[in-house]
Amino acid sequence: MYKLPWITCALPDKNGKTSGRPKFKGKHYYNSFSYPQLSNSHIVKNANGRICINLPKIGLVPFVYNRLIPAGFKVKTGTVIREADEWYISFTIEDKTVPLRRVEIQPTEDNSKGIDLGLLHYAVTSDGEFIEVPKFFRFSEHRLSKLQVRLAKKPKHSHPWKILKGKIAKLHQLIARQRLDWQFKLAYHLFSDCQVIFLEDLQIASLVRRCKAKLGDNGQFLPNGQSAKSGLNKSLQDAATYQFLDILEYVAWKLGKRIITRRPKRYISTLLGMLE
């Protein structure tokens, strides 16, 4: 019996620490795999005239070609993604003739807008518009909890257990897609009447961080307010503010507009100074 040296080696975690042994991941841990050398020639038609993708070591796989590749673009890579309902493939395309758009719009009082993100109202604009929080997870939380209670009563890895796992995954996918669609529509709405948007540079990870533990004189843990903060953390994650900031930045790039973020302490003074 031979001892493999790579089994006992230490792998670093997300903080860079190398303590402990490597954790081997199961087949359900990975939800995607990539082909780094795909090209336009891999998209072909089969004998029945259906569009397929010729994946190496897999073969021809029919797929729904719902978005045509623009003329002049070349397929560089492809990523096969496993979702709760179906398998998807995402292509990375390139056209070197397309210039990189870098917009430098000088903010003024007429073309700018300030937005404050929160939980009482999802967004409050400087022109007096109040946008309510959609709460997609909160509206589906009761249905999700009922499915999870049923799942806990089933034998693990049994056929009914797998069916309920699929239903829970599809419900989570529905919530995520509802939130993503609403945030894209909101981003386009916010840029409909302005060129520049001012935002606070929020530290979302610090907002959802657990409360620091409190120890008594006898070594027992004291109440630290984490039970009350857990509901706030759930609302923060349901709002997905960090995801919305990424979407807003992407929409600004696509429309040729601009986003300016400032720290909360310097936000008002910087805004007034740039508008003078």
Side-chain angles (χ1 to χ4, degrees), residues 112-117 121-131 186 189-191 193-194 197-198 267:
S112 302
K113 178 192 296 186
I115 297 178
D116 184 26
L117 302 177
H121 298 282
Y122 194 86
V124 179
T125 63
S126 57
D127 53 4
E129 183 180 5
F130 292 83
I131 300 171
L186 176 60
H189 169 71
L190 293 175
F191 275 113
D193 57 350
C194 68
I197 287 182
F198 286 87
Y267 179 69

Side-chain angles (χ1 to χ4, degrees), residues 30-33 63 80-89:
Y30 299 97
N31 293 320
S32 64
F33 58 93
F63 71 102
V80 180
I81 306 170
R82 178 180 61 185
E83 295 286 350
D85 54 348
E86 294 289 346
W87 288 83
Y88 298 86
I89 183 167

Side-chain angles (χ1 to χ4, degrees), residues 108-120:
T108 62
E109 188 174 357
D110 296 330
N111 68 354
S112 302
K113 178 192 296 186
I115 297 178
D116 184 26
L117 302 177
L119 293 179
L120 183 61

Side-chain angles (χ1 to χ4, degrees), residues 53-180:
I53 177 71
N54 189 9
L55 298 177
K57 298 185 179 181
I58 294 180
L60 294 178
V61 179
F63 71 102
V64 179
Y65 203 28
N66 59 351
R67 184 176 299 179
L68 298 177
I69 297 177
F73 282 81
K74 296 181 180 180
V75 176
K76 304 296 289 184
T77 64
T79 303
V80 180
I81 306 170
R82 178 180 61 185
E83 295 286 350
D85 54 348
E86 294 289 346
W87 288 83
Y88 298 86
I89 183 167
S90 175
F91 295 113
T92 301
I93 59 178
E94 180 188 28
D95 188 359
K96 295 183 179 180
T97 61
V98 177
L100 295 177
R101 188 188 315 181
R102 296 181 179 178
V103 180
E104 292 294 338
I105 302 176
Q106 184 63 30
T108 62
E109 188 174 357
D110 296 330
N111 68 354
S112 302
K113 178 192 296 186
I115 297 178
D116 184 26
L117 302 177
L119 293 179
L120 183 61
H121 298 282
Y122 194 86
V124 179
T125 63
S126 57
D127 53 4
E129 183 180 5
F130 292 83
I131 300 171
E132 299 298 328
V133 182
K135 298 181 181 180
F136 294 109
F137 179 80
R138 292 288 188 178
F139 288 144
S140 301
E141 188 176 11
H142 179 66
R143 181 184 172 191
L144 184 63
S145 63
K146 291 176 65 176
L147 289 175
Q148 290 173 338
V149 169
R150 291 173 55 191
L151 179 69
K153 297 179 181 179
K154 303 295 181 182
K156 196 171 183 180
H157 301 298
S158 63
H159 185 65
W161 182 85
K162 293 179 180 179
I163 293 177
L164 287 173
K165 284 281 288 186
K167 290 183 178 180
I168 293 174
K170 288 182 180 180
L171 183 55
H172 277 294
Q173 185 186 55
L174 174 64
I175 296 170
R177 288 179 174 178
Q178 286 176 335
R179 183 186 298 114
L180 188 66

Side-chain angles (χ1 to χ4, degrees), residues 190-207:
L190 293 175
F191 275 113
S192 61
D193 57 350
C194 68
Q195 299 290 325
V196 181
I197 287 182
F198 286 87
L199 288 169
E200 294 183 48
D201 188 11
L202 299 175
Q203 302 296 327
I204 308 299
S206 301
L207 295 177

